[in-house]
Amino acid sequence: MLKIGMAGARCLSFALGFKNHPEDVELTALCDLDENVLKENAEKHGITKTYRVYEDMLESDIDAVVVATPMQFHAEQVIKALEAGKHVLSEVTAGVTMDELWWLIEAVEKSGKTYMFAENYAYIPQNQVIAGMVKDGLFGRLYFGEGEYLHNIRDRLVYPDGKKTWRNWWQCGKRGCFYPTHSVGPVMQWFANGGDKIKSVISLGSGQNVAKETGLRQDDTTITLCRLESGGLVNVRVDCMSNRPHNLSYYSLQGTNGCYEAPRGLGDDHKVWINDGVSDAFSPKWQPLSDYYEKYLPDRFKNATEEQKNTGHWGGDFFLVDDFLEAVKTGAKPAIDIYDACEWTAVGLLSEISATNNGREIMMPDFRGNLPLEQQITKLF
């Protein structure tokens, strides 16, 4: 029986995924600073052990930890869990400094334990369909992609008691693309199917208009351009300040043989164009992405219950748990590993340097290269 400990009430969005394996998984422990939240959720989910001190939970007999605390605690708590001999499923982002990313890689490699990055947007069903189509070569050679995260979070800068939340410093207190992984992750999974990686990052902010009201450093909108090893481009827009409707999951993809666009609202739908060699390529017409669901939507998505499909992030919080458990049980490479986590997180960290230097191009380190200490540096292009 694999015993799971969860740090932070946000973890409970994954609870249904773990409970889907009652024969070999048990939600054993929950840790949170808020005693009322802790008690209420422990009773709701039948969790027998509760902790307010994270290190105390690590000393219990759990086998794996889900880390879903505020982002500035992720790296430290992941490393402590690995050193305690626990497997880890970590929420985004992986860390808040470049040094933390190197620490994480060293800790994972030394521990021999499973680390998986809980980038749930990669598990949005439509993103999984596109991944299958990419793998089968329907889009041809990929050379451009986009991801957008448009989500006004100014109402989350203050707790109900009037105190400032952690987002004042670790999100909106920064320049650049502070929250990149939802946008970058799915797109880079598509490009990585052909072995592509991010080579460099360029980032520019729009300046402060509505954001000026907050007194914080975040621009209204930040555009970050990732140059890939192949020469391809990935454009990322993050905007958590502007007055506008949310759009948390817009993506597009362009290849030599076709393209994809996610909906932007008002009845729009996921759509693709694939050059079939028969139709007039100079008068292309969209078709619904749903035309490809039968062949490319994974069976576990087709067979999921409505409850499972309606878990957080379009079902992503449910499906990624299966991949984490499979990696723990078999020792196989996780679907989203520590190197993916660090590269996708570094897009945001490098964008801070770029945005504060008028869009200077910043090199992406090779996190997979087992670099010695003297080469673990951030280079200007």
Side-chain angles (χ1 to χ4, degrees):
M1 181 68 70
L2 191 69
K3 296 181 179 179
I4 308 294
M6 311 182 90
R10 163 73 182 88
C11 285
L12 294 165
S13 64
F14 302 120
L16 187 62
F18 287 112
K19 289 181 176 181
N20 194 49
H21 300 267
E23 69 286 350
D24 55 4
V25 175
E26 180 184 359
L27 286 180
T28 304
L30 179 64
C31 179
D32 197 276
L33 288 175
D34 189 318
E35 195 164 4
N36 292 328
V37 169
L38 191 62
K39 181 178 179 181
E40 177 184 345
N41 284 288
E43 291 176 357
K44 178 180 177 181
H45 293 278
I47 298 172
T48 56
K49 299 177 182 177
T50 59
Y51 301 87
R52 295 187 68 195
V53 178
Y54 178 72
E55 289 78 4
D56 290 347
M57 185 175 74
L58 292 183
E59 292 180 3
S60 69
D61 63 348
I62 57 175
D63 303 295
V65 177
V66 185
V67 174
T69 51
M71 60 200 295
Q72 69 270 25
F73 300 123
H74 291 178
E76 178 185 358
Q77 291 178 337
V78 165
I79 291 169
K80 286 182 176 180
L82 293 168
E83 290 178 343
K86 317 299 183 185
H87 304 286
V88 178
L89 178 65
S90 173
E91 258 291 3
V92 305
T93 59
V96 293
T97 72
M98 291 298 290
D99 281 322
E100 284 187 340
L101 302 186
W102 294 112
W103 300 343
L104 282 167
I105 290 172
E106 291 167 3
V108 172
E109 291 177 344
K110 182 179 179 180
S111 72
K113 295 296 180 180
T114 295
Y115 169 98
M116 182 167 158
F117 194 48
E119 182 37 76
N120 39 29
Y121 278 52
Y123 288 84
I124 293 174
Q126 291 82 5
N127 289 344
Q128 293 272 307
V129 172
I130 296 299
M133 295 171 69
V134 167
K135 188 174 181 180
D136 269 6
L138 271 67
F139 294 96
R141 182 175 62 82
L142 307 182
Y143 57 88
F144 180 74
E146 292 179 288
E148 291 185 357
Y149 187 81
L150 312 179
H151 184 194
N152 183 354
I153 63 168
R154 283 182 290 150
D155 62 335
R156 302 188 182 193
L157 298 176
V158 179
Y159 289 117
D161 62 5
K163 294 179 181 178
K164 291 182 177 179
T165 73
W166 58 273
R167 298 178 191 274
N168 283 264
W169 297 277
W170 295 103
Q171 291 189 333
C172 300
K174 293 169 170 272
R175 297 283 310 278
C177 177
F178 69 87
Y179 200 56
T181 68
H182 288 337
S183 302
V184 172
V187 179
M188 281 312 302
Q189 279 198 320
W190 302 335
F191 276 92
N193 182 66
D196 218 345
K197 296 190 297 184
I198 299 171
K199 180 179 181 181
S200 63
V201 170
I202 298 170
S203 189
L204 288 168
S206 65
Q208 292 189 321
N209 297 284
V210 296
K212 188 175 292 187
E213 302 169 10
T214 67
L216 300 174
R217 296 173 58 81
Q218 181 65 198
D219 293 301
D220 296 315
T221 278
T222 297
I223 299 295
T224 301
L225 192 64
C226 302
R227 189 195 301 271
L228 307 185
E229 294 282 357
S230 65
L233 298 174
V234 173
N235 184 53
V236 177
R237 178 185 175 192
V238 167
D239 185 331
C240 292
M241 291 290 183
S242 294
N243 297 317
R244 54 157 296 130
H246 298 340
N247 193 345
L248 310 183
S249 57
Y250 175 79
Y251 302 95
S252 78
L253 184 66
Q254 181 69 56
T256 54
N257 202 54
C259 56
Y260 159 70
E261 286 190 5
R264 286 191 180 276
L266 262 185
D268 191 14
D269 203 353
H270 298 267
K271 52 192 179 294
V272 293
W273 171 74
I274 302 296
N275 186 357
D276 58 10
V278 177
S279 306
D280 183 358
F282 294 98
S283 299
K285 292 185 168 96
W286 292 113
Q287 67 181 121
L289 180 64
S290 57
D291 290 354
Y292 292 85
Y293 286 7
E294 181 59 33
K295 182 173 182 180
Y296 290 106
L297 185 64
D299 287 342
R300 61 179 173 176
F301 288 78
K302 294 177 185 175
N303 299 330
T305 66
E306 287 305 309
E307 183 183 22
Q308 292 164 355
K309 291 177 184 176
N310 291 326
T311 55
H313 302 93
W314 304 274
D317 288 342
F318 175 80
F319 295 111
L320 69 84
V321 168
D322 282 350
D323 285 352
F324 173 63
L325 293 176
E326 181 67 17
V328 169
K329 293 173 186 176
T330 66
K333 176 184 176 298
I336 307 176
D337 64 17
I338 184 61
Y339 309 107
D340 297 324
C342 289
E343 182 177 289
W344 302 350
T345 296
V347 168
L349 301 178
L350 298 181
S351 80
E352 295 177 30
I353 303 173
S354 179
T356 54
N357 285 276
N358 297 314
R360 185 76 179 264
E361 191 167 3
I362 313 295
M363 296 294 292
M364 176 69 70
D366 183 4
F367 292 109
R368 297 167 178 80
N370 195 23
L371 296 180
L373 177 61
E374 58 271 17
Q375 294 182 36
Q376 295 178 13
I377 58 176
T378 301
K379 300 179 183 178
L380 302 180
F381 193 81

